[in-house]
Amino acid sequence: MASLSEGEDSKGGSNPTGANAMWGGRFAGGPSAIMREINASIPFDKALWRQDIAASLAHAAMLAEQGIISGEDGAAITAGLKAIAADYAANGVPENWDLEDIHMTTESRLAELIGAPAGRLHTARSRNDQVATDFKLWVRDACDAVDAGLASLQAALVTRAGEHAASIMPGFTHLQTAQPVTLGHHLLAYYEMLARDRSRFADARHRLNRSPLGSAALAGTGFPIDRQATATALGFDGPTRNSLDAVSDRDFAIEYLTAAAQTALHLSRLAEELILWASQPFGFVTLPDELSTGSSIMPQKKNPDAAELVRGHSGRIVGALVSLMVTMKGLPLAYSKDMQDDKPPVFEAAGLLDLCLAAMTGMIAGAAFRTDRMRAAAELGYATATDLADWLVTAADVPFREAHHITGAAVKLAESRGLALDALPLADLQAIDSRIDARVFAALSVESSVAARASYGGTAPEQVRARVAEARLALGME
């Protein structure tokens, strides 16, 4: 970003005195070019314009109602702010670095439109409580947006889980085949993760929903304002209880980023599984063409780029959390200019998270699962070994530790012959332990294995279908 020479504004005009009227009479000269560049936040905080207009409208209405400003001035301010909002919506927010931020940009434009009454809008407030209010409103909107995105992804997972309630795949621990599970059960694991993510955003939204407006610079104000009125007008549960805390609190932004980081980790885990499953050695899934790319040199390639970018973006979202935590860790009360750097990491994380949720929803909804490959993989990895051990315990009254040893010997024999466990002859199994009889084969198929896991929350198709029905009801899909 090019710096500006002193006396030159961002539109190319000149300011002969070099003074910034917004700073008032305390400063004889304006900021240097370096100071102007490091101080201006309008390039990013212009994203707050809707919230800034809404808070100013509520503040102006309260000032007029309380008789702090005249009804005529209140009406002029309201009309001017609505006109500015329409202009911003149509043409964007202008960036004049001399005006520093969205608050001064809007106030300056208001003065151009309505003249002297514009100067009354800032009565009984400071940019400190103004920005805290605007930022809280923005984060609250972001919580609502991410909740909708999470719900959409949950719905996609539940839909596909219902389709594959009985589709068998290998379940892994240590990325080694462990026990057979159903694909529906696997997908519902991510539904549960996202449900916890939604609860974290809901908790964060609840805690942030107190209005800082009226806290002024740090100590409150001597004007007879009605903070409950502005809080109600802006949809807050009430005003904040301590003005020092209100203007210096950024817990709400850190909580949003904490929830965003945890969500990003969950999305990254799902993305990693899709990447593995889409690879030729697995061949469990074909991802949608519109969310994949090809190679510039290898025509056979279909790269899971959207999934890889979801995985990669998780690092940036976690980095945004760390950035803001480090910014805030050593600040004394109340407001410090360091806090101007609170918004870029939140804005970046929110944009990335919304994009990742949309991409992942598209991948899950459009994925073609190769259930034949999944079932074959489940059979290859001796995934029913635990079922043999369980059968020995229940049908032959063998202590589990002894059953575990017997099962290990059976797996070793099957592996040496290149056979599945249920393909071993009964005589060979009985040579390992005479207590094994023909009933064992009913327990050794992958279908029998998953059906047996019918405990609440287990992988049995009946349990998966029950959880799908509950999830559909919770999401309002019925």
Side-chain angles (χ1 to χ4, degrees):
M1 187 179 292
S3 61
L4 303 172
S5 60
E6 188 166 346
E8 181 181 356
D9 68 26
S10 63
K11 296 181 179 179
S14 62
N15 180 354
T17 66
N20 184 335
M22 294 298 177
W23 285 12
R26 170 65 178 82
F27 295 89
S32 70
I34 293 173
M35 186 60 200
R36 183 185 290 112
E37 185 159 346
I38 198 172
N39 191 52
S41 60
I42 187 63
F44 56 83
D45 71 16
K46 64 184 180 182
L48 298 173
W49 73 262
R50 289 179 175 83
Q51 292 76 21
D52 195 61
I53 294 287
S56 292
L57 285 168
H59 186 67
M62 181 275 296
L63 292 176
E65 181 66 24
Q66 293 296 107
I68 298 171
I69 64 174
S70 68
E72 182 181 2
D73 284 347
I77 291 169
T78 296
L81 288 171
K82 290 180 177 179
I84 293 170
D87 182 50
Y88 287 171
N91 304 308
V93 180
E95 291 187 21
N96 182 342
W97 290 6
D98 284 336
L99 297 175
E100 298 182 18
D101 55 31
I102 183 60
H103 321 298
M104 293 303 192
T105 296
T106 298
E107 187 175 327
S108 175
R109 179 58 180 149
L110 186 63
E112 293 175 359
L113 291 178
I114 68 171
R120 301 190 185 278
L121 174 60
H122 209 55
T123 306
R125 76 175 183 184
S126 160
R127 276 194 292 180
N128 293 353
D129 63 334
Q130 188 178 0
V131 68
T133 302
D134 294 355
F135 198 19
K136 273 195 172 185
L137 290 171
W138 194 97
V139 172
R140 191 176 71 185
D141 290 343
C143 287
D144 294 340
V146 76
D147 185 73
L150 285 164
S152 294
L153 178 52
Q154 282 185 302
L157 288 164
V158 169
T159 297
R160 303 312 303 273
E163 295 169 6
H164 294 285
S167 300
I168 293 170
M169 66 173 290
F172 299 98
T173 62
H174 308 278
L175 206 56
Q176 305 294 311
T177 299
Q179 292 178 281
V181 296
T182 60
L183 175 56
H185 190 57
H186 194 111
L187 294 173
L188 286 180
Y190 286 98
Y191 168 86
E192 296 295 338
M193 295 181 206
L194 299 180
R196 295 192 297 274
D197 292 330
R198 292 183 70 185
S199 72
R200 275 182 279 269
F201 282 110
D203 288 347
R205 190 192 193 283
H206 173 72
R207 272 186 292 275
L208 73 77
N209 209 35
R210 290 273 168 180
S211 174
L213 193 58
S215 298
L218 76 163
T221 178
F223 289 96
I225 61 174
D226 184 348
R227 294 192 63 208
Q228 183 62 54
T230 52
T232 299
L234 294 170
F236 287 110
D237 296 330
T240 51
R241 292 184 290 267
N242 184 285
S243 59
L244 280 168
D245 176 56
V247 300
S248 60
D249 163 41
R250 293 300 182 268
D251 294 6
F252 64 91
I254 292 174
E255 278 203 80
Y256 172 84
L257 289 175
T258 301
Q262 181 62 75
T263 301
L265 296 183
H266 287 154
L267 296 180
S268 183
R269 294 182 73 182
L270 179 54
E272 171 65 9
E273 295 208 301
L274 291 177
I275 292 162
L276 285 172
W277 292 359
S279 67
Q280 283 84 354
F282 277 81
F284 288 1
V285 68
T286 301
L287 295 176
D289 287 350
E290 59 269 25
L291 291 167
S292 305
T293 67
S295 167
S296 63
I297 189 172
M298 294 168 282
Q300 83 281 8
K301 295 285 292 299
K302 182 177 180 179
N303 299 327
D305 281 13
E308 290 173 352
L309 287 167
V310 169
R311 185 178 60 183
H313 287 350
S314 66
R316 294 172 63 186
I317 293 170
V318 172
L321 169 61
V322 174
S323 171
L324 184 52
M325 291 177 74
V326 173
T327 295
M328 295 300 299
K329 72 175 181 61
L331 299 186
L333 295 178
Y335 181 85
S336 297
K337 194 67 170 180
D338 313 47
M339 293 166 68
Q340 181 169 288
D341 286 338
D342 56 0
K343 287 169 282 296
V346 175
F347 293 165
E348 179 185 24
L352 290 173
L353 186 56
D354 288 348
L355 184 59
C356 288
L357 285 168
M360 189 58 72
T361 301
M363 280 185 276
I364 293 298
F369 293 106
R370 293 285 309 278
T371 53
D372 56 334
R373 297 268 304 197
M374 290 181 172
R375 190 187 188 286
E379 290 181 325
L380 285 176
Y382 304 102
T384 59
T386 304
D387 297 276
L388 174 55
D390 289 349
W391 183 89
L392 286 164
V393 170
T394 57
D397 196 27
V398 177
F400 183 80
R401 283 300 168 201
E402 185 181 352
H404 187 281
H405 179 76
I406 294 167
T407 300
V411 169
K412 184 177 181 181
L413 177 62
E415 192 172 35
S416 70
R417 295 186 181 178
L419 298 173
L421 272 176
D422 60 353
L424 281 174
L426 178 58
D428 289 342
L429 288 170
Q430 289 178 328
I432 295 171
D433 193 282
S434 61
R435 290 169 288 187
I436 299 174
D437 61 46
R439 293 175 298 165
V440 74
F441 292 107
L444 292 183
S445 71
V446 289
E447 287 83 6
S448 297
S449 177
V450 297
R453 267 66 189 178
S455 57
Y456 182 87
T459 192
E462 65 183 78
Q463 282 292 319
V464 173
R465 293 188 181 101
R467 301 293 81 72
V468 165
E470 292 171 354
R472 289 180 65 86
L473 187 62
L475 292 172
M477 297 173 66
E478 297 298 338

